[in-house]
Amino acid sequence: MEFDCWTGILVEGKPYTIVEKIRYKEKETDDRWTEYGLAAEGEEKRLWLTVEGDNLSCTLSRTVHRSTAPQGYGLRDKGEQIVTGVWGDTDASVGDTASYRQYRHEDGKRLFFIECWKGGEQDSAEGHSVQPSDIALDPAVSETRVRSMKWSARKKRFMNGLSQGVTVLGVGLFFFFMIDEMPDMSTWHDLRRLVGMPYAAEERVGDAPYASKEISAEGGARAYEVQTDAGTATLDLIEGLDGNVMDGYTEPELEDPPFVLRTKAEEVRITAASAGTAHIAILPHYVDDASAQNRLKRNYTLARYAEVVRTGDVRGRSVVVRQ
């Protein structure tokens, strides 16, 4: 069970719209789970739908303002979590970490959660278990409501970007007046990541250790021919972007399917060319409107490798080779 942002779903018969999606991994184990931020018509506060593993456990919860578990709850689980993927209108970032405690009520149904994020912020929520059969797509979701939510999210990102732009200007002036030399390219990329303007795929193509040249393309894309094979170029792009890829897949049912990488700002398609070369086409990011059925047919090995890179997994490229 997995849903995309801006999708309408029914939870226990009530309609919600998914406005944010956060994927987590337990730091010391392979446990993984996904948290969806849900907005209901006429309600300002979000609810949280948590889906663990292969739908082994589902929980619906809401934020509460208390720092300890209520009476009647016992500690069920604890550990440290790391954010491995973010989508939609969210303040979370890939790489964020928090210690967590999960409590279960003696009735076996109600749950209480405490998260202590690195940096000092603490979140608490209370909720209850939900049967996976009580979660389904909502075919009657209002397109008007979804567009309104997307507009609010874009407005929020614009204001955040404006604030970051002011920060970049201030940092640039600092370097101009306070040091003799501008930082080298790698340091400059690190600085951009720090202020929320990360390395772009198009820049990585120009900085890559293999030769590249721009070629003609259609549909507003920028295209390049690179002197390496398509698989190597794809893995290099994922690594060059520090694994900050929202999605990565191939579509096996297509003839000569491209490797597809999607970031917050770009969509990249890498295809094999002649004599060990590859073509890389870079387009502006757009909403993936493929049907749920077609998405299930995709091979998401590249997305899993991006997660390996983001989390610093020592297995490296062997993950892709084995799959």
Side-chain angles (χ1 to χ4, degrees):
M1 178 191 305
E2 185 163 359
F3 304 104
D4 292 326
C5 278
W6 317 115
T7 298
I9 63 171
L10 297 170
V11 182
E12 298 179 323
K14 184 173 181 178
Y16 299 94
T17 301
I18 298 173
V19 295
E20 66 177 299
K21 175 180 176 181
I22 308 173
R23 187 172 291 154
Y24 296 92
K25 178 185 179 298
E26 165 63 45
K27 200 166 186 179
E28 301 299 329
T29 70
D30 285 331
D31 292 345
R32 301 168 192 272
W33 62 96
T34 304
E35 189 173 74
Y36 299 93
L38 308 181
E41 188 78 41
E43 295 184 13
E44 183 176 346
K45 292 186 177 180
R46 295 179 184 179
L47 273 68
W48 306 98
L49 175 66
T50 304
V51 180
E52 298 184 26
D54 296 325
N55 309 333
L56 296 177
S57 174
C58 301
T59 305
L60 185 65
S61 61
R62 65 176 66 243
T63 301
V64 294
H65 299 289
R66 61 177 303 151
S67 58
T68 59
Q71 189 173 1
Y73 286 80
L75 183 64
R76 177 197 179 199
D77 191 19
K78 65 178 181 178
E80 188 168 359
Q81 64 191 24
I82 180 170
V83 176
T84 61
V86 294
W87 297 266
D89 181 22
T90 179
D91 293 326
S93 299
V94 171
D96 287 351
T97 59
S99 61
Y100 67 88
R101 289 176 175 265
Q102 184 181 115
Y103 300 83
R104 184 186 292 276
H105 193 268
E106 55 193 19
D107 64 11
K109 297 180 180 179
R110 287 178 286 170
L111 298 162
F112 187 84
F113 309 91
I114 298 176
E115 296 175 333
C116 297
W117 293 92
K118 186 176 181 180
E121 185 177 350
Q122 178 174 304
D123 295 325
S124 300
E126 61 181 0
H128 63 277
S129 299
V130 177
Q131 293 296 323
S133 58
D134 288 333
I135 304 170
L137 288 171
D138 181 9
V141 64
S142 167
E143 290 296 329
T144 301
R145 175 168 171 75
V146 171
R147 284 196 298 269
S148 175
M149 289 183 174
K150 286 184 177 181
W151 168 248
S152 296
R154 291 191 189 103
K155 182 178 178 181
K156 178 180 176 182
R157 286 197 298 270
F158 172 77
M159 296 305 295
N160 288 341
L162 184 62
S163 175
Q164 292 167 358
V166 173
T167 302
V168 171
L169 178 61
V171 172
L173 290 173
F174 169 80
F175 278 114
F176 181 79
F177 287 110
M178 300 300 293
I179 62 177
D180 294 329
E181 297 181 0
M182 288 297 289
D184 61 29
M185 184 61 72
S186 61
T187 304
W188 180 242
H189 287 312
D190 290 340
L191 174 63
R192 288 179 52 183
R193 291 190 187 97
L194 178 66
V195 298
M197 299 179 66
Y199 203 23
E202 189 167 357
E203 293 174 288
R204 177 58 190 172
V205 173
D207 293 343
Y210 42 78
S212 64
K213 66 176 181 179
E214 189 166 0
I215 57 177
S216 60
E218 299 178 352
R222 299 288 296 272
Y224 302 86
E225 182 178 270
V226 296
Q227 299 300 309
T228 190
D229 63 274
T232 299
T234 302
L235 299 184
D236 176 78
L237 280 170
I238 293 174
E239 293 160 1
L241 296 171
D242 295 331
N244 291 318
V245 174
M246 295 175 61
D247 212 353
Y249 58 85
T250 58
E251 297 179 289
E253 74 277 7
L254 299 179
E255 184 177 355
D256 299 325
F259 298 111
V260 181
L261 304 176
R262 291 166 56 82
T263 71
K264 288 185 176 181
E266 301 166 305
E267 175 170 307
V268 186
R269 291 179 172 264
I270 306 99
T271 54
S274 60
T277 63
H279 289 167
I280 300 177
I282 303 175
L283 304 92
H285 177 87
Y286 71 96
V287 175
D288 186 357
D289 57 1
S291 68
Q293 183 177 6
N294 286 338
R295 291 180 189 179
L296 289 174
K297 297 177 182 178
R298 293 171 176 172
N299 182 319
Y300 289 97
T301 299
L302 295 176
R304 290 191 286 273
Y305 180 61
E307 186 171 330
V308 165
V309 174
R310 286 196 300 269
T311 58
D313 194 313
V314 296
R315 292 176 296 171
R317 293 189 177 186
S318 64
V319 174
V320 181
V321 173
R322 286 200 298 268
Q323 298 184 27

